[in-house]
Amino acid sequence: MKCVKALRHAKIKEIIERQIIETQEELAEALRKENIEVTQATVSRDIKELMLIKVPTGDGRYRYAFPPEQSVIYSQSRMARIFQDSVIGLDFSTNIIVIKTLPGTAQAVASTIDHAKWSEVIGSVAGDDTIFVLVKPPEAVNEVLAKFQALLQ
C-alpha cells in the first residue's frame, strides 16, 4: 500500500510541476489520465500530506504548488502574508473562531494555524473558504483573535 502511495505522490509532484491544477477534481482527473484511479478523499489526503499550497497564477486564479522549502513554510512572516492575502473575515462563538477566506485558500491558512502550535488552539477544520478554529479554554478566544488580527495588519 505504501508503495502505491509513494508512486501516487511522485506522480502528483510531476503533474503539479508541469500543469496548472486549480482544483482537487482537476488533480484527480490528471491522475486518472495517468491510469491512477483515485477518489476525491484520497486526493484531499494527498494534498494535505504533500503540504501543497495554492499560489496565485497572476490572472486572479490559484493553482496547487509545492512550498519553496520546509523551513519557510510556517514562518511568522509567511503566516502573516497568507493571512493578508487570504483572510477576509473573523468571527467567534464561545470557543470556536470562524475565519472566512477567499475561495480555495482556507486549507493553506488552516495549515499555518495548525503548524504554529499555539497552546490555546486545539486544531482547525478547513473547507474551501471557511475555517473553524477550536480554542481551549474558551477564555482564550480573545487572545487568539488578537493574534489573528495582528497577522492581518
Side-chain angles (χ1 to χ4, degrees):
M1 186 67 120
K2 288 190 183 222
C3 183
V4 172
K5 181 196 273 190
L7 291 172
R8 190 176 61 246
H9 282 192
K11 188 56 73 173
I12 289 171
K13 182 174 178 9
E14 187 180 305
I15 290 168
I16 294 298
E17 288 174 348
R18 73 171 194 255
Q19 297 178 43
I20 293 177
I21 302 290
E22 297 182 58
T23 66
Q24 291 181 7
E25 294 79 18
E26 286 178 9
L27 182 54
E29 185 57 35
L31 285 166
R32 287 185 197 106
K33 286 180 182 174
E34 298 283 341
N35 296 315
I36 300 173
E37 284 303 313
V38 291
T39 64
Q40 187 276 330
T42 298
V43 170
S44 180
R45 268 191 307 277
D46 288 342
I47 287 169
K48 188 171 186 173
E49 288 173 9
L50 292 168
M51 292 193 279
L52 296 181
I53 59 173
K54 285 231 174 164
V55 296
T57 61
D59 57 1
R61 296 168 31 202
Y62 289 83
R63 66 174 289 197
Y64 283 110
F66 283 91
E69 59 179 79
Q70 287 296 71
S71 62
V72 175
I73 297 174
Y74 301 110
S75 69
Q76 185 72 15
S77 63
R78 182 169 189 282
M79 189 174 187
R81 271 193 320 276
I82 287 175
F83 263 68
Q84 291 163 11
D85 290 346
S86 305
V87 175
I88 57 176
L90 297 167
D91 204 350
F92 73 97
S93 177
T94 314
N95 68 326
I96 298 174
I97 296 174
V98 178
I99 302 174
K100 295 298 286 179
T101 70
L102 296 172
T105 63
Q107 291 180 8
V109 173
S111 182
T112 65
I113 293 167
D114 291 341
H115 285 84
K117 299 193 186 320
W118 294 344
S119 62
E120 313 86 3
V121 175
I122 294 174
S124 66
V125 177
D128 185 59
D129 63 359
T130 305
I131 305 163
F132 287 173
V133 179
L134 189 59
V135 178
K136 180 180 178 183
E139 298 77 34
V141 165
N142 287 332
E143 180 184 339
V144 175
L145 269 174
K147 288 181 179 182
F148 289 157
Q149 288 164 338
L151 290 167
L152 292 170
Q153 302 301 317

